[in-house]
């Protein structure tokens, strides 16, 4: 368990359009960390956190929600966390949880302190204890963490990507934003889940760069878009 303090917070998506970080206050009743849920931890200086507990049983289910669907204040983001003392494979997590996640945001979103923004990932590994955001497809559902998602970091091989791509970057003097266009075999000009991935909207920002789908756009802002690797000259983004 932990002693409640200002440095521990939950993300609540029903508070307002942008969601709120709800901090535990000094003097509150001690509370256990819930397996599979995500938390924000802040320190006044460098140091470490120590966690103790029993090894989790499989599978672990974590509730994710969407509030005010269809309204201006819609917020589909939930902060979950890797419950295992091992890495989890992002591709395996997304494959197992494709149904509860929104098709246009089939990714995990992790905080990148260097870029001061949330970075979307569709492959790679989530560290033990790492929190990350997911986007719920309906008002209330669950994502599952299973034994087969666990992964080690031994024998990782880096492969060269030979597929053509366009990466557009924008700077405002302090922050950098990017959007990607990937040309891949078998992809379409419409929505290709996990290859067309929307921007993170759980935190307000006045500085963004994105694209819309070439076909059947519904106004969703995409940080990554996949297109066919042919007929380039006739595709207008």
């Amino acid at each position: 368990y932990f002693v409640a303090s200002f440095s521990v917070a939950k993300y609540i998506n029903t508070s307002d359009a942008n969601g709120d970080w709800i901090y535990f206050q000094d003097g509150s009743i001690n509370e256990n960390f819930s397996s599979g849920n995500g938390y924000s931890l802040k320190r006044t200086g460098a140091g470490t956190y120590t966690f103790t507990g029993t090894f989790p049983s499989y599978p672990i289910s974590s509730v994710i929600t969407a509030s005010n669907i269809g309204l201006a204040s819609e917020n589909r983001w939930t902060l979950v966390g890797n419950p295992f003392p091992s890495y989890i494979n992002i591709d395996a997590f997304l494959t197992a949880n494709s149904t509860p996640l929104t098709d246009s945001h089939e990714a995990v979103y992790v905080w990148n302190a260097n870029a001061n923004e949330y970075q979307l990932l569709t492959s790679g590994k989530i560290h033990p204890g790492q929190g990350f955001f997911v986007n719920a497809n309906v008002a209330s559902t669950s994502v599952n963490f299973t034994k087969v998602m666990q992964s080690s970091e031994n024998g990782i091989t880096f492969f060269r990507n030979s597929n053509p791509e366009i990466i557009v970057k924008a700077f405002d003097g302090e922050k950098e934003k990017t959007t990607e266009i990937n040309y891949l075999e078998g992809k379409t000009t419409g929505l290709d889940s996990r290859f067309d991935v929307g921007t993170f909207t759980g935190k307000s920002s006045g500085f963004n760069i994105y694209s819309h789908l070439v076909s059947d756009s519904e106004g969703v802002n995409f940080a990554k878009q996949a297109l066919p690797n042919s007929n380039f000259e006739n595709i207008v983004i």
Side-chain angles (χ1 to χ4, degrees):
Y1 65 92
F2 65 89
V3 177
S5 71
F6 288 99
S7 62
V8 181
K10 293 180 180 179
Y11 183 87
I12 308 298
N13 68 14
T14 56
S15 296
D16 56 46
N18 298 317
D20 274 333
W21 292 102
I22 307 300
Y23 285 85
F24 293 96
Q25 303 296 311
D26 287 329
S28 299
I29 298 174
N30 291 347
E31 182 176 330
N32 292 329
F33 282 101
S34 298
S35 190
N37 290 348
Y39 299 86
S40 171
L41 302 176
K42 294 184 178 180
R43 298 181 60 92
T44 56
T48 61
Y49 291 96
T50 300
F51 296 87
T52 61
T54 58
F55 195 86
S57 301
Y58 310 107
I60 294 170
S61 180
S62 184
V63 175
I64 63 173
T65 61
S67 66
N68 301 322
I69 296 176
L71 303 178
S73 58
E74 175 179 291
N75 191 328
R76 295 174 177 265
W77 300 101
T78 299
L79 183 66
V80 298
N82 177 6
F84 302 131
S86 65
Y87 292 85
I88 59 172
N89 185 288
I90 294 174
D91 179 71
F93 173 83
L94 294 174
T95 298
N97 292 292
S98 61
T99 298
L101 300 182
T102 306
D103 288 345
S104 60
H105 290 75
E106 230 175 86
V108 303
Y109 295 74
V110 298
W111 177 248
N112 184 331
N114 293 327
N116 194 33
E117 66 176 355
Y118 288 91
Q119 176 183 358
L120 69 89
L121 298 172
T122 56
S123 61
K125 307 292 174 61
I126 293 291
H127 288 66
Q130 173 72 57
F132 56 94
F133 278 97
V134 293
N135 196 278
N137 192 35
V138 295
S140 181
T141 183
S142 298
V143 292
N144 291 311
F145 297 89
T146 65
K147 182 176 181 179
V148 297
M149 295 176 188
Q150 294 185 94
S151 176
S152 70
E153 285 294 279
N154 295 326
I156 298 297
T157 302
F158 291 91
F159 297 94
R160 179 184 176 187
N161 184 357
S162 59
N163 295 309
E165 65 179 3
I166 299 171
I167 299 178
V168 183
K169 297 184 178 182
F171 302 86
D172 71 348
E174 296 180 354
K175 297 179 181 179
E176 174 183 330
K177 297 283 188 176
T178 63
T179 190
E180 296 182 23
I181 308 296
N182 300 287
Y183 295 90
L184 304 171
E185 183 178 358
K187 297 301 172 279
T188 69
T189 56
L191 179 62
D192 299 295
S193 295
R194 207 186 304 180
F195 294 91
D196 299 319
V197 187
T199 60
F200 182 76
T201 57
K203 174 187 177 185
S204 61
S205 174
F207 176 55
N208 293 294
I209 183 170
Y210 50 81
S211 69
H212 285 178
L213 293 181
V214 173
S215 300
D216 302 320
S217 173
E218 296 182 359
V220 176
N221 301 335
F222 285 90
K224 293 178 68 175
Q225 183 175 173
L227 293 169
N229 61 347
S230 59
N231 196 32
F232 305 107
E233 65 277 7
N234 292 317
I235 298 177
V236 179
I237 306 167

